[in-house]
Structures are given as C-alpha cells and as structure tokens.
Amino acid sequence: MPKNILVVEDEPTLARLLSYNLSQEGYQTKVVDHGGEGLQTALQESFDLIILDIMLPGMNGFEVLAKLRQKGVKTPVIILTARNAEEEVVQGLKAGADDYITKPFGVAELLARVSAVMRRTGTEDTFAVEEPGTDKVIQVADLRIYPEKYEVVLNGEQIQLRPKEFEVLLYLVQRPGVVVTRDDLMNIVWGFDYVGGQRTVDVHVSSLRKKLEMNQETVQIDSIRGLGYKLIVHTTKK
C-alpha cells in the first residue's frame, strides 16, 4: 500500500516540486499551504510522514509541530529550513522533528531523507518506547537506552557513559542507517558556541564505540570517511 505524505508548504512552486517528485516515487501526497490547515489535516487524517515548512502563514511550523506532539501525534516529521539557519534545525529537532532538509535542496536529497525516515520509523522491532506509566526506554537490538536517566543497559548490564557519549548515542540511535556529520554532532551535542574542534567528536565516538562493542555484535558505529558516523543495527548477530 502506498505511503501517505502530508506536505505543508505555502510556496506554490516548491509545493508542486515536492508533490510531483514524491508521487513519481510512488508516494501519495496531500498538499496544504497554511499552518492552521496543516495542523487540522494532520490531526484528522492518517499519514506516514509530514513534510513541514517552518515559515507558514497563520501558524509557523514550530507551532504546528509542538501542537501535534502535545496531542500525541507521533507521525514522523521532516522540517524544511532556510540555508544557514542552524537555530531552526536545533529548535525543530528539540520540538520533535525526525529530520530536516535545508533549502534549496536537490530531488535526490529529498527522496533519500524521506526514504531514510520511513525506514527507521517503520521498524518497530528496532526502535521502541515503553508504554505510558513506565520509564521511557529506547530498545535497539541488545541495548536499552533510558533518555531521562542517562542510562544504557547492554545485555542486562549497565554500561557507564559520560554525558556527552550518551547524548551522541541518543542522537545516532534516532537515525539508524543515516550518516550523521561531525558538524551535526558538534552542533547538537556541544552547541553552536562550543570553541573546541571536531577532534572532540572523534574522541567521544571512539570511546563510545569501544564500550558498545563489549559483548554484543548487533549494534555498531561505522566511520564514514570525510563525513561522519552512521549507526548500524544488525537484526541477527554476526
């Protein structure tokens, strides 16, 4: 069955571009051009993904996203942000966005990001959250990650991570199979005003990788030369 995508974009040319190229890939799309209408549509209808522009009439994308999450809508969301608007990316991710695309963007990037979000949010046995009333936990193969406690349990035993190692791991597990750049990790985990270099990221990832590889083979962090890192999850042990 085709996946349904809601596009909330008020710029007509871009909206047509998104709708056309997504349709060519077999997705069913619905386009709205107003923030309030986008919110109501997302609340009243079922979608597999929402592509949400930040600058919208009536209600901006941050407000739409916040209200959706407040009302318990877990549909994955990709936000569209302006070039060099890192603060929009951070705000959007904190508000509950699953990924972002910076305008202007190419069709290949758009389709790759849509496919990646569909993959990782559609794999229930890889990424899971406990029912309400219990501690929030992310299950990734042999790992159980408790975001609110900054705790990680590997094969039933707790492993000790430094706070930044934990934050790096949390960011990566929410994007399995997706290359995360060093700049992304630096900005999200350390902040835009951090004065250190990318070597800090490499040191923390190296330490984290060693701790993860103890007594388990289903989760690993791959280095992507010249770019960054990618979390790989194997459904069975190698």
Side-chain angles (χ1 to χ4, degrees):
M1 181 179 296
K3 298 289 186 179
N4 293 313
I5 298 178
L6 173 63
V7 177
V8 189
E9 170 58 61
D10 67 319
E11 204 288 304
T13 300
L14 180 56
R16 287 195 297 270
L17 173 70
L18 289 166
S19 180
Y20 173 78
N21 285 286
L22 290 169
S23 298
Q24 289 295 105
E25 289 297 303
Y27 299 113
Q28 291 185 348
T29 63
K30 183 169 187 176
V31 178
V32 298
D33 60 2
H34 188 278
E37 183 182 356
L39 174 62
Q40 292 304 313
T41 302
L43 291 174
Q44 294 170 2
E45 302 179 32
S46 178
F47 295 95
D48 297 288
L49 177 70
I50 299 171
I51 297 178
L52 178 65
D53 194 13
I54 295 301
M55 301 302 295
L56 292 167
M59 180 182 296
N60 67 44
F62 296 129
E63 295 173 307
V64 173
L65 179 57
K67 289 183 180 296
L68 287 175
R69 296 308 187 226
Q70 287 170 6
K71 293 181 178 295
V73 176
K74 298 180 180 179
T75 305
V77 173
I78 297 176
I79 57 173
L80 302 180
T81 70
R83 181 186 293 272
N84 299 323
E86 292 89 351
E87 68 279 359
E88 289 186 353
V89 173
V90 174
Q91 185 176 347
L93 293 174
K94 286 183 176 179
D98 296 85
D99 204 348
Y100 65 92
I101 302 176
T102 301
K103 298 185 288 186
F105 53 83
V107 173
E109 179 187 2
L110 165 70
L111 297 177
R113 287 189 179 272
V114 167
S115 178
V117 170
M118 291 284 196
R119 262 197 327 271
R120 64 178 182 257
T121 57
T123 310
E124 296 180 353
D125 58 344
T126 299
F127 186 89
V129 178
E130 294 288 274
E131 295 296 323
T134 63
D135 291 329
K136 182 179 179 181
V137 56
I138 298 171
Q139 180 77 46
V140 183
D142 295 328
L143 296 176
R144 291 175 67 84
I145 302 166
Y146 297 84
E148 296 174 357
K149 295 181 176 180
Y150 270 56
E151 293 180 359
V152 176
V153 176
L154 172 59
N155 286 325
E157 295 186 8
Q158 186 172 338
I159 60 174
Q160 300 298 321
L161 298 182
R162 291 178 290 176
K164 293 303 183 187
E165 291 174 352
F166 181 89
E167 292 170 16
V168 168
L169 175 62
L170 185 61
Y171 191 72
L172 289 174
V173 299
Q174 293 171 329
R175 296 155 180 79
V178 176
V179 176
V180 176
T181 68
R182 290 177 174 83
D183 283 341
D184 282 341
L185 286 173
M186 178 72 71
N187 293 333
I188 295 297
V189 176
W190 280 268
F192 292 107
D193 56 351
Y194 181 70
V195 297
Q198 291 184 347
R199 178 61 179 163
T200 299
V201 176
D202 295 335
V203 169
H204 279 75
V205 172
S206 177
S207 176
L208 172 61
R209 178 188 283 138
K210 291 177 182 177
K211 294 175 182 178
L212 288 182
E213 291 177 350
M214 295 186 301
N215 303 317
Q216 69 88 29
E217 299 176 329
T218 56
V219 179
Q220 66 185 62
I221 300 175
D222 282 358
S223 297
I224 309 301
R225 186 176 179 86
L227 291 175
Y229 299 96
K230 177 169 64 175
L231 188 88
I232 302 297
V233 180
H234 301 283
T235 55
T236 58
K237 292 186 177 182
K238 297 183 291 182

